[in-house]
Amino acid sequence: MIQAAKADGAIDADERARIMDHLTDADSAEMDFVLVQMEAPVDVHALAADTSAAMRAQVYAAAVMAIRADTPAESDYLAALATALQLDRSTRDEVHAAATTNASV
């Protein structure tokens, strides 16, 4: 989520709020980790390398939920992440459809 939020070069207030909303049970060490990650550079290849095959769609879904792909940089980030995670078009479409459904609830 954090890398996706930084895809356009900055984490805006809405993106920061969505990330922080997921941290309601985080302890101080986890919060510190998130804050450090918010300042780290974006690296989709490192993220993909650290993601097990079983978690690839979930990592992509978290990225989709973190941002509104309303800039070319954000759309490019999601495309690069999907490629790095080796997600096929069908899986990407399912994730986007689920995110759209969840956003309208």
Side-chain angles (χ1 to χ4, degrees):
M1 287 182 95
I2 296 167
Q3 286 199 27
K6 293 189 296 185
D8 63 355
I11 298 176
D12 66 32
D14 185 45
E15 292 164 338
R16 183 175 289 274
R18 278 188 257 149
I19 292 167
M20 300 311 279
D21 285 347
H22 289 279
L23 301 175
T24 56
D25 295 331
D27 63 28
S28 62
E30 292 165 331
M31 292 295 287
D32 289 344
F33 174 80
V34 168
L35 294 173
V36 167
Q37 292 304 307
M38 285 186 184
E39 300 303 320
V42 174
D43 186 348
V44 295
H45 299 289
L47 177 59
D50 289 342
T51 303
S52 70
M55 293 299 296
R56 289 177 184 160
Q58 290 86 344
V59 167
Y60 186 72
V64 169
M65 289 186 297
I67 61 175
R68 288 188 185 97
D70 56 0
T71 68
E74 290 169 335
S75 295
D76 291 348
Y77 171 82
L78 290 176
L81 180 60
T83 299
L85 291 169
Q86 301 174 355
L87 297 178
D88 59 33
R89 171 58 68 189
S90 174
T91 301
R92 285 183 259 172
D93 290 346
E94 288 174 18
V95 168
H96 285 274
T100 301
T101 300
N102 290 335
S104 64
V105 173

